[in-house]
Amino acid sequence: MPAKPMPESQEGAAPTADESGQRGVPEEAVTPLIRGIAVLRELTEAGGTLSLSGLERATGLARSTVDRITATLARMGYVRFDGRDVHLSPRLMELGNAYMSALRLPALLAPHADALADELDESVSLAVADLDGIRFIHQATRRRAMSLSFRIGDLLPAERTAPGPLFATEWTATDWQRWRHRRAADPRDLSFTAVPPRRYGADERDDETFARRTQEASANDWSLDDQLIEPGLVAVSVPVRAPGTDGATGRIACVASVVSHTSRHTAHHLRTTLLPRLRSAVRAMERELQNTPPPEPGPPPSDLARWTGASKQQLGREFIESLARGLTVLTVFGEDRPEPTLTEVARATGLARATARRALITYDHLGLVATTGRTFTLTPRVLSLGFPPLSRTSLPEIAQPHLADLTSRIHESTSLAVLSDSGEEIQYTARVATARVMSVNITVGTRLPAYATALGRVLLADAPARVPRSGGLRALTPHTITDNETLERTLTSVRSQGYALVDEELEEGLRSLAVPIRDRSGRVVAALNTAMHASRHTLKECVRDLLPELTTTATRIQTDLHTASRFTRIPTS
């Protein structure tokens, strides 16, 4: 029987619970979408990598179904294959980015959190409520031997954190009932993979302790975590409230926390010494929320899912179009579209209203979307789709599979490098060697003089103030540039043409071609190259045949880098 159309006045309605009080799967839910989300969650829980057989066991799905789901996700750029293993890809972060962008809090409040972390020399985090848990949306961590391992998107049980009691001050009776049910079903917190499990199950005393901490948080407007997650970890938290109406106090938008360990601060010392500075930073955050106007509506996207038809035609049965279209629905949300209607979602994706509606019903059932009247919003649970493991990726990790693909196409070794702090050397951070009897012998970590390498010239061209002085330009071969004026002219040419080609200046017989890798601001943060013996490619062939391949690969690396770094810091080495 065809689905009954949703009236325009009810287009945001959510499915209801069945008579037992447990939400069953709605009849109109998209089964392939539910299964695809299950695969992404299992990959996330496994740290970003699982074998196909491991996914089969973890999800309980048939192997043929797992194969089709992962093939579809790979087509979307959300996963990649390495032999029989499936890896999450940085592009998947566009789903979490949609939530973070629509939320707006990371963009507005992260600078304040970072400044506080610098001032205190302690880690500072921002967290939002996710049912009876908390989920991190920003981390400003300190680099120490004893450092925090929490990632953006990690979910923690409310009762074992400092933010939890503050969020619990706004819980309803239903919320408390759900929390107690979860505690009874998972007394050791085994479902919260970001925290160590309890050695013993929780009991009534733990429940009473959390209720008391919630009452204290309501009275004090701050909360402490005194080694509840694990021994040595302490934190103090203060709520950041959204602007209310008519001067009234608004609801908690997020919670800011200062996190340390007992070798630096006791919980008491956090409260007496650092709490006042945390409160001052929170006041600045609340002013930011109060004074920032709502975003101007941007041009509405259209036909985001148009490519799915072509993919289905090309891949046939291996491509699950309903899964791809359903995932595309999540990318509709953003800063200028935080609460779209069904009509707006359908228009943006190019999907029929009935198709978009079924996807949204599915997401509501999975807890990824919430409905309010006629509009839809993403929930923090969207961050469970790959964001935690991918938020800790680095540029070399992003680049490595692209280097492997480039090497297989051009049959030459490829590398990624960054400039040293002094600007005098490059350091190799990723590399894929080709299988040849005679090849360039360089390993990750190798340092070479920047002025005499193609990689170095691409990097120096974007940082002219760091060009070595003439006294540092030694002749490594008869072809090496050794005077500053010539080097400056060469770097100007590199800057204008977008690549560097160095012929036998580092070592006789060695020819190298490099292109830049740029961050979201357009700054060159790394360089990509291929190097070979001069007999294998003429200078003309390097530009004609190899340069387009390098440029294409650089673009792919940059796309992943820009997606991954929108709300996280991506180390370049």
Side-chain angles (χ1 to χ4, degrees):
M1 177 180 293
K4 182 179 179 180
M6 180 186 288
E8 184 72 17
S9 62
Q10 298 293 319
E11 67 175 12
T16 58
D18 60 27
E19 293 180 355
S20 68
Q22 301 295 319
R23 285 169 50 122
V25 178
E27 291 184 4
E28 295 174 275
V30 184
T31 300
L33 185 54
I34 294 175
R35 292 171 173 172
I37 294 297
V39 166
L40 289 174
R41 282 180 168 164
E42 291 297 340
L43 281 166
T44 302
E45 293 297 325
T49 301
L50 263 180
S51 66
L52 288 166
S53 58
L55 277 171
E56 181 184 0
R57 290 191 298 270
T59 60
L61 299 172
R63 176 58 181 268
S64 60
T65 301
V66 170
D67 289 344
R68 293 181 65 210
I69 289 172
T70 52
T72 302
L73 295 174
R75 178 71 173 186
M76 300 184 73
Y78 289 169
V79 304
R80 62 178 177 84
F81 294 103
D82 182 6
R84 296 183 179 181
D85 289 336
V86 183
H87 302 264
L88 296 178
S89 294
R91 185 173 176 181
L92 178 62
M93 294 179 75
E94 71 180 9
L95 304 183
N97 286 346
Y99 164 74
M100 302 276 266
S101 178
L103 185 66
R104 298 188 74 200
L105 296 179
L108 293 176
L109 305 186
H112 297 280
D114 294 346
L116 180 63
D118 290 339
E119 176 190 348
L120 302 181
D121 194 27
E122 297 290 350
S123 296
V124 174
S125 66
L126 300 175
V128 294
D130 187 351
L131 297 182
D132 56 2
I134 71 157
R135 204 176 287 271
F136 294 108
I137 58 171
H138 182 72
Q139 290 278 8
T141 57
R142 303 293 90 183
R143 284 194 173 185
R144 295 195 180 100
M146 290 286 293
S147 61
L148 302 178
S149 60
F150 295 135
R151 305 160 300 184
I152 296 175
D154 271 338
L155 180 68
L156 277 62
E159 66 276 8
R160 292 178 65 182
T161 68
L166 292 164
F167 287 123
T169 62
E170 298 183 343
W171 283 4
T172 64
T174 301
D175 295 327
W176 281 100
Q177 182 180 6
R178 179 178 56 237
W179 173 74
R180 292 188 178 94
H181 177 76
R182 187 263 294 169
R183 295 265 288 166
D186 183 20
R188 294 189 59 208
D189 295 336
L190 298 178
S191 59
F192 294 89
T193 56
V195 298
R198 294 175 181 269
R199 292 188 61 186
Y200 306 100
D203 56 28
E204 291 184 3
R205 288 174 300 177
D206 295 316
D207 292 358
E208 293 170 358
T209 297
F210 183 58
R212 186 185 70 252
R213 292 177 63 216
T214 300
Q215 292 175 347
E216 293 171 351
S218 179
N220 299 330
D221 213 32
W222 54 264
S223 180
L224 281 177
D225 166 11
D226 189 358
Q227 307 180 76
L228 294 172
I229 292 177
E230 66 178 17
L233 183 66
V234 291
V236 60
S237 297
V238 172
V240 181
R241 300 187 182 277
T245 57
D246 299 328
T249 301
R251 293 180 61 84
I252 297 175
C254 68
V255 169
S257 305
V258 176
V259 188
S260 188
H261 51 81
T262 51
S263 60
R264 293 177 59 82
H265 298 281
T266 64
H268 174 75
H269 192 255
L270 280 181
R271 180 177 66 81
T272 57
T273 304
L274 301 189
L275 178 59
R277 293 150 89 177
L278 174 59
R279 277 181 156 160
S280 177
V282 164
R283 286 194 293 271
M285 293 179 187
E286 291 177 338
R287 287 193 296 271
E288 186 80 43
L289 297 181
Q290 180 75 44
N291 298 330
T292 301
E296 293 291 332
S302 61
D303 292 339
L304 292 176
R306 177 183 291 181
W307 65 275
T308 60
S311 297
K312 181 67 174 178
Q313 190 173 23
Q314 182 177 351
L315 298 182
R317 186 179 179 278
E318 294 305 304
F319 184 78
I320 307 175
E321 192 169 11
S322 58
L323 169 59
R325 287 179 167 180
L327 290 171
T328 303
V329 165
L330 295 179
T331 65
V332 170
F333 295 79
E335 182 179 3
D336 51 357
R337 292 177 304 282
E339 299 180 359
T341 64
L342 172 60
T343 300
E344 291 169 337
V345 171
R347 183 185 302 121
T349 57
L351 301 176
R353 278 172 53 88
T355 302
R357 176 180 179 274
R358 291 188 65 200
L360 290 166
I361 287 175
T362 305
Y363 286 134
D364 185 279
H365 166 70
L366 295 173
L368 299 170
V369 164
T371 60
T372 306
R374 298 176 57 205
T375 62
F376 301 84
T377 57
L378 297 182
T379 72
R381 194 161 296 186
V382 174
L383 295 176
S384 70
L385 305 181
F387 215 89
L390 291 171
S391 70
R392 287 290 176 91
T393 193
S394 65
L395 180 55
E397 292 170 329
I398 290 173
Q400 193 70 28
H402 295 288
L403 295 183
D405 182 60
L406 174 60
T407 296
S408 69
R409 294 199 312 269
I410 66 175
H411 307 291
E412 299 289 354
S413 298
T414 59
S415 304
L416 191 79
V418 296
L419 201 60
S420 67
D421 291 338
S422 66
E424 296 179 355
E425 295 178 311
I426 59 165
Q427 180 174 0
Y428 286 80
T429 58
R431 181 167 171 79
V432 175
T434 188
R436 287 185 180 273
V437 174
M438 184 175 66
S439 62
V440 180
N441 184 22
I442 292 174
T443 59
V444 171
T446 298
R447 288 175 176 255
L448 295 173
Y451 70 93
T453 62
L455 289 163
R457 288 182 185 174
V458 164
L459 294 162
L460 289 173
D462 194 63
R466 303 174 74 179
V467 176
R469 297 179 180 179
S470 296
L473 306 183
R474 295 185 299 110
L476 305 176
T477 75
H479 309 283
T480 308
I481 294 175
T482 57
D483 69 276
N484 257 50
E485 187 175 338
T486 304
L487 181 59
E488 291 283 4
R489 287 198 304 268
T490 301
L491 294 180
T492 298
S493 178
V494 169
R495 197 156 43 242
S496 63
Q497 66 191 15
Y499 69 90
L501 181 56
V502 171
D503 187 27
E504 301 188 80
E505 294 190 46
L506 178 69
E507 184 177 315
E508 291 188 82
L510 181 64
R511 186 167 288 161
S512 179
L513 177 68
V515 296
I517 304 293
R518 300 181 183 274
D519 65 12
R520 291 177 61 86
S521 69
R523 183 173 60 94
V524 175
V525 293
L528 163 70
N529 93 320
T530 183
M532 79 257 9
H533 191 270
S535 64
R536 290 213 289 268
H537 297 278
T538 66
L539 294 175
K540 183 177 180 180
E541 288 171 343
C542 285
V543 175
R544 184 192 65 199
D545 301 331
L546 300 181
L547 180 58
E549 296 284 0
L550 262 68
T551 301
T552 297
T553 300
T555 299
R556 291 171 179 169
I557 294 173
Q558 286 177 170
T559 298
D560 282 352
L561 173 61
H562 296 174
T563 300
S565 61
R566 186 171 180 187
F567 293 104
T568 63
R569 291 187 179 89
I570 303 299
T572 58
S573 59

